[in-house]
Amino acid sequence: MTWKEAVLMAMENLGGIEVSNQAIEQYIGAIQLREPNDTVPATISKTLEELAREGKVEKIRRGVWSLARPKNIIIVGGVAAGPKAACRLKRLRPGWNITVVDQDSLISYGGCGIPYYVSGDVPEETALRSTSFHMVRDEAFFEQAKGVRVLTRTRAVSIDRRAKKIKVMHMESGEQRELVYDKLLLATGSKPFVLPIPGAELDGVFTISDLHKAVAIKQRIAGGKVGKAVVIGGGAIGIEMAEALTDLWGIETALIEFMPQLLPRIVDAEFAAMLKKHMQDKGVAIYTSEGATEIVSDGQGRAVAVKTPKRTLEADLVIMAAGVRPRSELAKEAGLAVEPWGGITVNSRMQTSDPDIYAAGDCVAVRHLVTGKQSFAPLGSLANREGRIAADNMAGGFSTFDGVVGSFIMKAFERCIAATGITYEAALAEGFDADCSLTAPADRAHFFPGVSAVVLQLVFDRRSRRVLGLQAFGAMNDSISARIDAAAVMIAKGAVIEDFSLAEMAYSPPFSSAIDSLNAAAYVADNLCAGLLRKVGMARFFAWMEDFSREPDWIALDIRNAKDADPYMAKFGADKWLAVPYPELRARHEEIPADKTLIILCDAGTRSYEAQVFLDHIGKGNSLVLSGGFNVIRRLGADWLLK
């Protein structure tokens, strides 16, 4: 029996309700959206019969007719979630009237690509708003190719929820009118946070908020008007813009960040420090723990410098990349539920507190699957997923967006940094019994050309063994994204250390080592939980290297090759730095003092762990392994490092 036959039979059983084939097809479509795995048409028949016995025949009639009647869908916002929802709705309900309203003249573009347009990696701004088959996504494209009406330069002014109308105003003519809706989607996105400091309004100060600003920045640079630039904000956009200005254009660029590290709350301090060193090596001046207090004017309305409490930085161009905030004023004024920090409150179906109004994209609050709390995740990838799910439910289906784990990745010159889940610092703040394994293995088979170290940190809860997050730093290639993506899927499902240890990763020497770096990170976590490995963190070790009196009974045991280790013993003395190559450890163990705390170092940490096991076995158990070894030390940088 087919779906159509089942519904027709049910209709006959209900007294021969007369409906068109189109209405039946719409009803079947709605049922299949709600129950995509239900392959037994008799289930639908049974449901209808039960409704009939309950006296709800008329409700079925109205439901089927409602699906058959064309509905008016209004979507406010035309960048990511809005266009995605519009196109999905047209595929599900071709006969419905879909209207997208946006206050800008440019729509449906990849805002995350703006730094790469400024850098020149993307040569034309039209590429950011083109399809994969090279059609520009403008009003005509949506009208002709998708059947979606788009009203650009039109701002949504207010929502009348009782009358189900939205008032809009044309930005240029000032003309206002009302649009009637059956369902409304708010995809209003986010807005840049403009620091409340003197000079923020000066010529030469830009936020990275839309394509118009990007075009203006690039024109100014190409016109030879920029020799020095200051980027305010050490988040992803700020870092990408600093790279864009330095790498292609050769502009003398400084970046300032109010917090003590780059990418605050996204990665832990060691990973931010590795990123900072790499950017400094590439010519970007970086000042953390410094906030901008003033943008200095030349007296004629142009920015010429940025002041912090510690310095004044000359600037022909100032990029204010101090983060974004949800654009939720329209929702709040309409009386919809909004989180205290501004995100529109939605359920898993992307419905707001009004069941006929949905919201998706950067303007909404989403559940973090690790902490269980409402969070802000302004990413184009998530906006598209949320837009699709909102469309499914507006069309009568049942799709859910369960939440996020905060997956993040970006490039900075020749390096890549990424994270998913929560950081070690955040895990402690959330009350987890948190610990982390820091490893620095090869990103592919050690014998394959182009191999390099990748630094991974797996954050986990000791009590439950649940994995809470993963961070990675390494060469700008496919290695990191593969591990972060795999981890994100598992973390979202509540995976524990064993799941990561046993995860089957595709193996071939050009892509990974036989023991995948993700599995290896979990092995270390397992050893830590079992008490088989004792470690010391980089921060504590670096503090000791700056002042040996902090830990007077410590001595570094360097088990690398003699050519690498001996120069350090010569520099610091055998009482503070002892060099015993790993292959000689068993034969020379009597040289190792038993009355000192041994800090065991190698390149990645693997040999250090084996050395610790051997030393425990012979009764010299007072040792700690420096996780990550010199692979991490070199990426962090230090004055005491030998060239």
Side-chain angles (χ1 to χ4, degrees):
M1 181 183 295
T2 66
W3 283 97
K4 187 170 183 178
E5 289 170 341
V7 174
L8 284 170
M9 181 181 295
M11 295 299 180
E12 291 174 2
N13 292 339
L14 294 173
I17 297 177
E18 294 182 5
V19 294
S20 67
N21 283 335
Q22 181 185 10
I24 293 172
E25 296 292 346
Q26 297 275 19
Y27 182 79
I28 293 171
I31 293 296
Q32 288 175 322
L33 278 171
R34 283 195 293 268
E35 302 291 342
N37 298 320
D38 191 349
T39 58
V40 185
T43 302
I44 305 303
S45 179
K46 179 182 178 182
T47 301
L48 293 172
E49 289 168 1
E50 288 176 348
L51 288 172
R53 285 196 296 271
E54 296 170 5
K56 296 180 180 178
V57 175
E58 186 58 32
K59 181 177 181 180
I60 297 172
R61 185 198 301 270
R62 288 196 303 269
V64 175
W65 282 353
S66 174
L67 285 169
R69 176 181 68 80
K71 289 187 176 182
N72 294 318
I73 306 296
I74 306 297
I75 298 173
V76 181
V79 177
K84 178 63 179 180
C87 294
R88 173 68 171 169
L89 277 165
K90 266 298 182 179
R91 289 190 283 269
L92 296 175
R93 300 286 176 255
W96 285 12
N97 304 313
I98 316 294
T99 301
V100 176
V101 176
D102 197 282
Q103 62 186 6
D104 203 347
S105 59
L106 302 178
I107 57 171
S108 193
Y109 58 83
C112 297
I114 286 177
Y116 304 107
Y117 163 68
V118 173
S119 72
D121 291 320
V122 178
E124 302 293 336
E125 60 84 14
T126 51
L128 297 181
R129 50 192 184 97
S130 295
T131 66
S132 58
F133 44 91
H134 309 299
M135 290 187 68
V136 176
R137 294 188 296 264
D138 55 15
E139 301 97 310
F141 168 78
F142 280 98
E143 182 76 40
Q144 296 165 12
K146 302 292 186 180
V148 173
R149 182 173 66 150
V150 178
L151 304 178
T152 57
R153 299 296 293 150
T154 302
R155 183 167 67 89
V157 177
S158 62
I159 302 169
D160 185 340
R161 291 167 53 194
R162 184 183 297 273
K164 300 186 78 171
K165 295 179 180 179
I166 182 168
K167 182 183 290 185
V168 299
M169 180 185 73
H170 193 270
M171 300 288 287
E172 293 167 2
S173 67
E175 177 188 356
Q176 295 192 9
R177 57 173 164 159
E178 291 183 332
L179 304 176
V180 177
Y181 67 85
D182 292 293
K183 301 287 184 183
L184 172 66
L185 173 65
L186 301 179
T188 46
S190 58
K191 56 187 176 183
F193 176 64
V194 178
L195 292 175
I197 59 175
E201 76 293 341
L202 291 173
D203 179 39
V205 180
F206 293 88
T207 58
I208 307 300
S209 55
D210 56 48
L211 275 180
H212 303 285
K213 300 282 179 61
V215 171
I217 292 169
K218 193 167 185 178
Q219 287 176 343
R220 185 171 292 231
I221 296 170
K225 299 178 180 180
V226 180
K228 296 182 178 181
V230 173
V231 177
I232 301 173
I237 294 296
I239 292 167
E240 288 169 344
M241 288 301 298
E243 178 191 354
L245 297 171
T246 306
D247 197 29
L248 176 71
W249 299 101
I251 295 170
E252 185 180 330
T253 304
L255 183 151
I256 57 177
E257 166 57 46
F258 177 75
M259 299 293 285
Q261 66 169 73
L262 299 177
L263 299 176
R265 295 179 293 276
I266 297 176
V267 297
D268 282 307
E270 289 84 358
F271 284 77
M274 288 187 281
L275 175 63
K276 179 179 179 180
K277 179 183 182 298
H278 180 65
M279 294 188 68
Q280 289 173 326
D281 290 345
K282 292 298 179 179
V284 180
I286 297 179
Y287 306 101
T288 51
S289 297
E290 289 189 41
T293 57
E294 180 186 354
I295 301 173
V296 181
S297 171
D298 65 353
Q300 299 179 11
R302 291 188 296 267
V304 294
V306 175
K307 282 187 176 182
T308 78
K310 297 180 180 179
R311 70 195 81 241
T312 297
L313 300 165
E314 294 182 359
D316 306 303
L317 175 72
V318 178
I319 303 295
M320 194 174 290
V324 296
R325 304 290 187 270
R327 188 178 275 118
S328 56
E329 295 85 357
L330 186 66
K332 192 171 184 179
E333 290 168 3
L336 300 176
V338 175
E339 297 295 315
W341 47 268
I344 301 173
T345 305
V346 293
N347 61 18
S348 62
R349 301 181 66 200
M350 308 312 295
Q351 279 178 308
T352 68
S353 52
D354 183 325
D356 289 323
I357 301 178
Y358 293 72
D362 291 2
C363 59
V364 303
V366 291
R367 179 172 172 263
H368 199 290
L369 296 175
V370 176
T371 67
K373 296 179 178 179
Q374 293 293 88
S375 66
F376 184 40
L379 289 171
S381 55
L382 295 178
N384 275 277
R385 286 167 52 197
E386 293 161 8
R388 177 187 171 93
I389 286 169
D392 284 353
N393 291 307
M394 294 168 81
F398 190 88
S399 294
T400 59
F401 183 85
D402 296 329
V404 303
V405 289
S407 298
F408 160 87
I409 190 167
M410 66 171 294
K411 74 175 285 289
F413 297 96
E414 286 85 38
R415 293 292 178 265
C416 171
I417 189 165
T420 189
I422 60 176
T423 65
Y424 173 62
E425 183 180 356
L428 292 174
E430 290 290 333
F432 289 104
D433 184 13
D435 201 348
C436 58
S437 70
L438 181 66
T439 56
D443 63 355
R444 56 207 71 233
H446 68 275
F447 52 78
F448 197 83
V451 64
S452 63
V454 57
V455 182
L456 296 179
Q457 179 167 277
L458 194 74
V459 182
F460 56 92
D461 180 72
R462 279 183 167 273
R463 193 176 299 113
S464 66
R465 300 175 67 85
R466 179 187 176 190
V467 175
L468 307 174
L470 179 72
Q471 296 162 58
F473 180 84
M476 216 293 287
N477 57 35
D478 54 1
S479 172
I480 286 178
S481 63
R483 275 78 201 167
I484 289 293
D485 289 344
V489 173
M490 291 191 283
I491 290 171
K493 300 298 183 183
V496 295
I497 293 171
E498 287 75 12
D499 296 315
F500 277 73
S501 297
L502 299 173
E504 182 179 352
M505 305 292 288
Y507 166 63
S508 179
F511 301 100
S512 65
S513 59
I515 299 176
D516 193 88
S517 56
L518 196 62
N519 301 135
Y523 296 162
V524 174
D526 183 52
N527 286 337
L528 287 169
C529 285
L532 299 175
L533 168 65
R534 302 178 305 279
K535 65 182 175 76
V536 63
M538 282 289 168
R540 189 178 173 191
F541 175 75
F542 269 61
W544 176 67
M545 288 300 299
E546 295 296 328
D547 180 4
F548 288 142
S549 66
R550 287 174 177 266
E551 307 283 354
D553 69 329
W554 279 16
I555 182 173
L557 175 60
D558 193 339
I559 61 172
R560 295 177 299 152
N561 294 329
K563 66 180 180 61
D564 297 320
D566 287 352
Y568 283 89
M569 184 168 67
K571 178 179 180 178
F572 297 111
D575 61 327
K576 287 301 178 185
W577 197 288
L578 185 61
V580 180
Y582 168 73
E584 302 174 18
L585 186 64
R586 293 174 184 273
R588 296 174 55 188
H589 69 83
E590 291 183 357
E591 300 175 26
I592 300 170
D595 59 344
K596 296 286 186 178
T597 298
L598 306 170
I599 308 301
I600 312 175
L601 303 92
C602 63
D603 282 319
T606 304
R607 289 175 293 171
S608 296
Y609 168 56
E610 291 187 358
Q612 186 179 67
V613 171
F614 170 70
L615 292 170
D616 285 353
H617 173 67
I618 63 172
K620 295 182 178 181
N622 196 16
S623 67
L624 299 171
V625 168
L626 183 64
S627 300
F630 265 82
N631 284 347
V632 175
I633 292 172
R634 283 188 289 267
R635 284 159 177 78
L636 289 169
D639 293 338
W640 50 266
L641 273 174
L642 299 176
K643 302 299 183 184

mmCIF file of all heavy atoms in Angstrom, residues 527-552:
data_model
loop_
_atom_site.group_PDB
_atom_site.id
_atom_site.type_symbol
_atom_site.label_atom_id
_atom_site.label_comp_id
_atom_site.label_asym_id
_atom_site.label_seq_id
_atom_site.Cartn_x
_atom_site.Cartn_y
_atom_site.Cartn_z
ATOM 1 N N ASN A 527 45.651 7.124 30.316
ATOM 2 C CA ASN A 527 46.766 6.919 31.250
ATOM 3 C C ASN A 527 46.700 7.888 32.425
ATOM 4 O O ASN A 527 47.019 7.521 33.564
ATOM 5 C CB ASN A 527 48.100 7.090 30.516
ATOM 6 C CG ASN A 527 48.415 5.907 29.609
ATOM 7 O OD1 ASN A 527 47.907 4.805 29.805
ATOM 8 N ND2 ASN A 527 49.256 6.151 28.611
ATOM 9 N N LEU A 528 46.291 9.122 32.151
ATOM 10 C CA LEU A 528 46.164 10.101 33.235
ATOM 11 C C LEU A 528 45.076 9.679 34.221
ATOM 12 O O LEU A 528 45.258 9.761 35.442
ATOM 13 C CB LEU A 528 45.850 11.483 32.652
ATOM 14 C CG LEU A 528 47.004 12.189 31.952
ATOM 15 C CD1 LEU A 528 46.502 13.405 31.180
ATOM 16 C CD2 LEU A 528 48.066 12.622 32.969
ATOM 17 N N CYS A 529 43.932 9.239 33.689
ATOM 18 C CA CYS A 529 42.835 8.818 34.570
ATOM 19 C C CYS A 529 43.223 7.597 35.400
ATOM 20 O O CYS A 529 42.806 7.456 36.557
ATOM 21 C CB CYS A 529 41.589 8.505 33.743
ATOM 22 S SG CYS A 529 40.732 9.958 33.114
ATOM 23 N N ALA A 530 44.026 6.719 34.816
ATOM 24 C CA ALA A 530 44.422 5.488 35.505
ATOM 25 C C ALA A 530 45.583 5.702 36.465
ATOM 26 O O ALA A 530 45.973 4.774 37.180
ATOM 27 C CB ALA A 530 44.790 4.422 34.473
ATOM 28 N N GLY A 531 46.155 6.907 36.465
ATOM 29 C CA GLY A 531 47.293 7.177 37.330
ATOM 30 C C GLY A 531 48.590 6.590 36.820
ATOM 31 O O GLY A 531 49.576 6.473 37.569
ATOM 32 N N LEU A 532 48.614 6.217 35.549
ATOM 33 C CA LEU A 532 49.822 5.639 34.964
ATOM 34 C C LEU A 532 50.790 6.702 34.470
ATOM 35 O O LEU A 532 51.943 6.398 34.156
ATOM 36 C CB LEU A 532 49.437 4.721 33.794
ATOM 37 C CG LEU A 532 48.539 3.535 34.139
ATOM 38 C CD1 LEU A 532 48.141 2.789 32.878
ATOM 39 C CD2 LEU A 532 49.245 2.604 35.121
ATOM 40 N N LEU A 533 50.320 7.922 34.368
ATOM 41 C CA LEU A 533 51.135 9.027 33.872
ATOM 42 C C LEU A 533 50.961 10.223 34.793
ATOM 43 O O LEU A 533 49.832 10.576 35.153
ATOM 44 C CB LEU A 533 50.701 9.390 32.441
ATOM 45 C CG LEU A 533 51.234 10.703 31.854
ATOM 46 C CD1 LEU A 533 52.750 10.654 31.694
ATOM 47 C CD2 LEU A 533 50.563 10.996 30.516
ATOM 48 N N ARG A 534 52.079 10.830 35.177
ATOM 49 C CA ARG A 534 52.063 12.056 35.963
ATOM 50 C C ARG A 534 52.706 13.162 35.123
ATOM 51 O O ARG A 534 53.779 12.946 34.538
ATOM 52 C CB ARG A 534 52.830 11.865 37.275
ATOM 53 C CG ARG A 534 52.291 10.731 38.134
ATOM 54 C CD ARG A 534 53.108 10.542 39.419
ATOM 55 N NE ARG A 534 54.534 10.341 39.156
ATOM 56 C CZ ARG A 534 55.071 9.179 38.789
ATOM 57 N NH1 ARG A 534 54.302 8.110 38.632
ATOM 58 N NH2 ARG A 534 56.384 9.085 38.588
ATOM 59 N N LYS A 535 52.076 14.312 35.056
ATOM 60 C CA LYS A 535 52.546 15.345 34.135
ATOM 61 C C LYS A 535 52.697 16.691 34.837
ATOM 62 O O LYS A 535 52.188 16.903 35.944
ATOM 63 C CB LYS A 535 51.564 15.500 32.961
ATOM 64 C CG LYS A 535 50.178 16.015 33.364
ATOM 65 C CD LYS A 535 49.262 16.095 32.148
ATOM 66 C CE LYS A 535 47.838 16.477 32.536
ATOM 67 N NZ LYS A 535 47.664 17.897 32.855
ATOM 68 N N VAL A 536 53.373 17.592 34.137
ATOM 69 C CA VAL A 536 53.467 18.979 34.561
ATOM 70 C C VAL A 536 53.077 19.830 33.362
ATOM 71 O O VAL A 536 53.387 19.494 32.220
ATOM 72 C CB VAL A 536 54.889 19.323 35.059
ATOM 73 C CG1 VAL A 536 55.919 19.191 33.944
ATOM 74 C CG2 VAL A 536 54.924 20.731 35.636
ATOM 75 N N GLY A 537 52.390 20.924 33.629
ATOM 76 C CA GLY A 537 51.933 21.787 32.558
ATOM 77 C C GLY A 537 53.004 22.741 32.069
ATOM 78 O O GLY A 537 53.988 23.031 32.769
ATOM 79 N N MET A 538 52.788 23.267 30.860
ATOM 80 C CA MET A 538 53.750 24.182 30.252
ATOM 81 C C MET A 538 53.906 25.462 31.074
ATOM 82 O O MET A 538 55.026 25.971 31.225
ATOM 83 C CB MET A 538 53.320 24.531 28.828
ATOM 84 C CG MET A 538 53.618 23.464 27.813
ATOM 85 S SD MET A 538 55.401 23.347 27.493
ATOM 86 C CE MET A 538 55.450 21.802 26.567
ATOM 87 N N ALA A 539 52.824 25.990 31.592
ATOM 88 C CA ALA A 539 52.903 27.260 32.321
ATOM 89 C C ALA A 539 53.805 27.129 33.543
ATOM 90 O O ALA A 539 54.651 28.002 33.812
ATOM 91 C CB ALA A 539 51.506 27.720 32.732
ATOM 92 N N ARG A 540 53.659 26.040 34.272
ATOM 93 C CA ARG A 540 54.471 25.838 35.478
ATOM 94 C C ARG A 540 55.938 25.614 35.106
ATOM 95 O O ARG A 540 56.841 26.131 35.768
ATOM 96 C CB ARG A 540 53.927 24.655 36.270
ATOM 97 C CG ARG A 540 54.552 24.492 37.643
ATOM 98 C CD ARG A 540 53.920 23.328 38.389
ATOM 99 N NE ARG A 540 54.618 23.062 39.640
ATOM 100 C CZ ARG A 540 54.417 21.971 40.381
ATOM 101 N NH1 ARG A 540 53.519 21.055 39.984
ATOM 102 N NH2 ARG A 540 55.095 21.788 41.504
ATOM 103 N N PHE A 541 56.175 24.863 34.033
ATOM 104 C CA PHE A 541 57.547 24.610 33.600
ATOM 105 C C PHE A 541 58.219 25.901 33.132
ATOM 106 O O PHE A 541 59.378 26.172 33.474
ATOM 107 C CB PHE A 541 57.556 23.572 32.474
ATOM 108 C CG PHE A 541 58.921 23.330 31.893
ATOM 109 C CD1 PHE A 541 59.870 22.597 32.580
ATOM 110 C CD2 PHE A 541 59.262 23.855 30.652
ATOM 111 C CE1 PHE A 541 61.141 22.383 32.044
ATOM 112 C CE2 PHE A 541 60.526 23.653 30.109
ATOM 113 C CZ PHE A 541 61.462 22.911 30.813
ATOM 114 N N PHE A 542 57.513 26.718 32.363
ATOM 115 C CA PHE A 542 58.078 27.972 31.880
ATOM 116 C C PHE A 542 58.390 28.916 33.042
ATOM 117 O O PHE A 542 59.393 29.632 33.019
ATOM 118 C CB PHE A 542 57.117 28.637 30.889
ATOM 119 C CG PHE A 542 57.349 28.241 29.458
ATOM 120 C CD1 PHE A 542 57.222 26.918 29.055
ATOM 121 C CD2 PHE A 542 57.694 29.182 28.504
ATOM 122 C CE1 PHE A 542 57.425 26.536 27.747
ATOM 123 C CE2 PHE A 542 57.912 28.816 27.184
ATOM 124 C CZ PHE A 542 57.778 27.486 26.798
ATOM 125 N N ALA A 543 57.516 28.912 34.056
ATOM 126 C CA ALA A 543 57.771 29.756 35.229
ATOM 127 C C ALA A 543 59.061 29.311 35.926
ATOM 128 O O ALA A 543 59.858 30.145 36.388
ATOM 129 C CB ALA A 543 56.594 29.689 36.190
ATOM 130 N N TRP A 544 59.289 28.005 36.001
ATOM 131 C CA TRP A 544 60.522 27.488 36.610
ATOM 132 C C TRP A 544 61.746 27.873 35.786
ATOM 133 O O TRP A 544 62.790 28.239 36.329
ATOM 134 C CB TRP A 544 60.429 25.971 36.745
ATOM 135 C CG TRP A 544 61.676 25.328 37.276
ATOM 136 C CD1 TRP A 544 62.198 25.454 38.529
ATOM 137 C CD2 TRP A 544 62.565 24.463 36.552
ATOM 138 N NE1 TRP A 544 63.353 24.707 38.651
ATOM 139 C CE2 TRP A 544 63.608 24.082 37.449
ATOM 140 C CE3 TRP A 544 62.576 23.954 35.257
ATOM 141 C CZ2 TRP A 544 64.638 23.222 37.060
ATOM 142 C CZ3 TRP A 544 63.607 23.101 34.878
ATOM 143 C CH2 TRP A 544 64.630 22.753 35.772
ATOM 144 N N MET A 545 61.607 27.806 34.467
ATOM 145 C CA MET A 545 62.740 28.172 33.610
ATOM 146 C C MET A 545 63.112 29.642 33.756
ATOM 147 O O MET A 545 64.273 30.014 33.560
ATOM 148 C CB MET A 545 62.415 27.861 32.147
ATOM 149 C CG MET A 545 62.398 26.375 31.814
ATOM 150 S SD MET A 545 63.985 25.545 32.110
ATOM 151 C CE MET A 545 65.063 26.426 30.988
ATOM 152 N N GLU A 546 62.161 30.462 34.115
ATOM 153 C CA GLU A 546 62.455 31.878 34.337
ATOM 154 C C GLU A 546 63.092 32.116 35.700
ATOM 155 O O GLU A 546 63.842 33.077 35.897
ATOM 156 C CB GLU A 546 61.159 32.699 34.224
ATOM 157 C CG GLU A 546 60.530 32.707 32.832
ATOM 158 C CD GLU A 546 61.423 33.372 31.805
ATOM 159 O OE1 GLU A 546 62.164 34.309 32.176
ATOM 160 O OE2 GLU A 546 61.395 32.956 30.620
ATOM 161 N N ASP A 547 62.798 31.211 36.656
ATOM 162 C CA ASP A 547 63.321 31.394 38.021
ATOM 163 C C ASP A 547 63.422 30.015 38.683
ATOM 164 O O ASP A 547 62.436 29.478 39.180
ATOM 165 C CB ASP A 547 62.384 32.313 38.816
ATOM 166 C CG ASP A 547 62.871 32.555 40.237
ATOM 167 O OD1 ASP A 547 63.972 32.072 40.596
ATOM 168 O OD2 ASP A 547 62.142 33.229 41.005
ATOM 169 N N PHE A 548 64.617 29.441 38.676
ATOM 170 C CA PHE A 548 64.812 28.099 39.220
ATOM 171 C C PHE A 548 64.470 28.008 40.702
ATOM 172 O O PHE A 548 64.174 26.920 41.217
ATOM 173 C CB PHE A 548 66.254 27.646 39.007
ATOM 174 C CG PHE A 548 66.583 27.316 37.577
ATOM 175 C CD1 PHE A 548 67.827 27.642 37.044
ATOM 176 C CD2 PHE A 548 65.665 26.669 36.765
ATOM 177 C CE1 PHE A 548 68.141 27.333 35.733
ATOM 178 C CE2 PHE A 548 65.967 26.362 35.448
ATOM 179 C CZ PHE A 548 67.203 26.699 34.921
ATOM 180 N N SER A 549 64.478 29.144 41.403
ATOM 181 C CA SER A 549 64.187 29.110 42.843
ATOM 182 C C SER A 549 62.727 28.781 43.126
ATOM 183 O O SER A 549 62.372 28.457 44.260
ATOM 184 C CB SER A 549 64.550 30.449 43.486
ATOM 185 O OG SER A 549 63.709 31.493 43.007
ATOM 186 N N ARG A 550 61.876 28.877 42.112
ATOM 187 C CA ARG A 550 60.461 28.531 42.307
ATOM 188 C C ARG A 550 60.296 27.061 42.685
ATOM 189 O O ARG A 550 59.396 26.705 43.450
ATOM 190 C CB ARG A 550 59.661 28.809 41.023
ATOM 191 C CG ARG A 550 59.430 30.284 40.715
ATOM 192 C CD ARG A 550 58.753 30.418 39.351
ATOM 193 N NE ARG A 550 58.445 31.797 39.021
ATOM 194 C CZ ARG A 550 57.271 32.387 39.259
ATOM 195 N NH1 ARG A 550 56.309 31.723 39.852
ATOM 196 N NH2 ARG A 550 57.084 33.637 38.913
ATOM 197 N N GLU A 551 61.116 26.196 42.099
ATOM 198 C CA GLU A 551 61.048 24.755 42.372
ATOM 199 C C GLU A 551 62.490 24.278 42.581
ATOM 200 O O GLU A 551 63.110 23.709 41.685
ATOM 201 C CB GLU A 551 60.408 24.005 41.191
ATOM 202 C CG GLU A 551 59.056 24.528 40.746
ATOM 203 C CD GLU A 551 57.924 24.107 41.666
ATOM 204 O OE1 GLU A 551 58.182 23.310 42.608
ATOM 205 O OE2 GLU A 551 56.788 24.563 41.453
ATOM 206 N N PRO A 552 63.057 24.510 43.744
ATOM 207 C CA PRO A 552 64.495 24.264 43.950
ATOM 208 C C PRO A 552 64.917 22.812 43.804
ATOM 209 O O PRO A 552 66.104 22.542 43.553
ATOM 210 C CB PRO A 552 64.738 24.775 45.375
ATOM 211 C CG PRO A 552 63.393 24.807 46.021
ATOM 212 C CD PRO A 552 62.405 25.076 44.936
#
